[in-house]
Amino acid sequence: MGGLIFLGTGDPFNYERTQTALAFPLPGGETLLVDTASGTGLLGQLDRAGIALDGVRHLVMTHRHFDHAGGLAPLLVDLVAVPGATITVYAAAETAQALHDLLRLTIPGVEDWLGPRLQWRVIEPERPLAIGDLELTPFNVEHGIECVGLRVARDGRSAVFSADTCPCPNLVRHARGAELLIHEVYSPDADAETAHRFGHSTAADAGEAARDAGVGRLMLTHFRSSKYVDVEALRAEAAAIFPGPVDAAEDLLRVAF
């Protein structure tokens, strides 16, 4: 029990990795997912990670971009065929509306097929919610559309997920004192103008956020293809700024916090 699993660590166009998704094991064999990658790849990653589909009871959606939300429809369709499977989707109000629209366009009827087995819960920034043995606090980040980062606490320890964001004082505030900061990265600092224009961060930005928040460990994720970035160079750039341990996440990596 405890810790988390990186189901996906790639950006929208990274064909070498699955897109963004995290899994948090919960008591009783249940699982909390954060985001759903971009499509059916999520289902394969759940299988590879040994996560039972009928145990996926909670799903937090940080925002509606396809590399984070595109796997929602395949996940729900698969759950239809699992007797007794239930799931609650947690999202900000605008994100939830966009997800309803997406489902109506791409797989009309799926919400009716699940019926009461599918529940929706609107989350509000700065308002904690309890899921299993976790306390989650969503907070706004800066990505050009509504998007929430998450502080996840368990047994007095905490991990913070940046979701997608350019440099954001609110992220630093919520990450203060966390054991682990999971931070997206788009590029080296030499390409900061492009990263920030797209609502993303450089490796140096991630290192600065970790340093300023005084976290225990920094984990980088949401990587572009190796055609465009050198992951080890990104890690080194962040490590030159943040004095603690800096790692680059890989698909299916399990991390304690």
Side-chain angles (χ1 to χ4, degrees):
M1 193 60 58
L4 64 95
I5 305 167
F6 286 89
L7 296 177
T9 58
D11 88 337
F13 307 107
N14 190 334
Y15 56 83
E16 303 154 339
R17 297 169 180 253
T18 302
Q19 280 67 51
T20 299
L22 298 171
F24 291 84
L26 300 175
E30 295 187 2
T31 300
L32 162 70
L33 296 185
V34 176
D35 292 336
T36 61
S38 64
T40 56
L42 172 70
L43 302 176
Q45 292 298 83
L46 290 171
D47 184 64
R48 294 181 190 99
I51 297 173
L53 192 62
D54 62 357
V56 178
R57 298 299 178 90
H58 306 275
L59 169 61
V60 177
M61 302 298 296
T62 64
H63 64 297
R64 54 191 155 104
H65 280 160
F66 74 88
D67 55 318
H68 294 253
L72 176 62
L75 175 64
L76 295 185
V77 171
D78 235 19
L79 286 173
V80 169
V82 180
T86 64
I87 189 167
T88 301
V89 181
Y90 305 77
E94 191 173 352
T95 301
Q97 184 57 60
L99 296 176
H100 285 300
D101 293 342
L102 175 68
L103 293 172
R104 280 193 290 270
L105 286 169
T106 59
I107 186 71
V110 67
E111 295 191 65
D112 295 330
W113 301 342
L114 281 165
R117 295 196 286 148
L118 170 63
Q119 300 291 320
W120 294 81
R121 182 171 173 183
V122 172
I123 57 176
E124 299 179 21
E126 314 291 336
R127 180 166 293 185
L129 61 151
I131 301 177
D133 62 344
L134 301 175
E135 181 180 86
L136 280 72
T137 303
F139 56 89
N140 288 328
V141 292
E142 299 177 15
H143 190 45
I145 63 168
E146 80 289 346
C147 184
V148 296
L150 295 170
R151 185 174 179 116
V152 182
R154 171 191 274 140
D155 297 331
R157 300 171 67 83
S158 56
V160 172
F161 176 46
S162 71
D164 286 2
T165 187
C166 57
C168 177
N170 201 39
L171 167 64
V172 173
R173 180 169 72 89
H174 282 277
R176 284 209 174 93
E179 280 72 28
L180 173 65
L181 172 59
I182 303 163
H183 202 297
E184 66 114 274
V185 60
Y186 177 87
S187 69
D189 207 50
D191 201 17
E193 182 179 353
T194 301
H196 297 168
R197 183 168 71 249
F198 292 147
H200 290 290
S201 297
T202 68
D205 293 331
E208 290 170 2
R211 179 198 63 198
D212 294 348
V215 303
R217 179 183 181 187
L218 173 62
M219 183 77 66
L220 304 178
T221 190
H222 200 268
F223 297 112
R224 300 169 73 201
S225 165
S226 61
K227 293 191 302 181
Y228 305 112
V229 298
D230 178 337
V231 170
E232 174 53 29
L234 296 176
R235 192 206 65 78
E237 181 174 285
I241 296 171
F242 173 60
V246 180
D247 298 293
E250 297 286 346
D251 288 7
L252 301 179
L253 177 68
R254 295 173 183 261
V255 176
F257 75 90

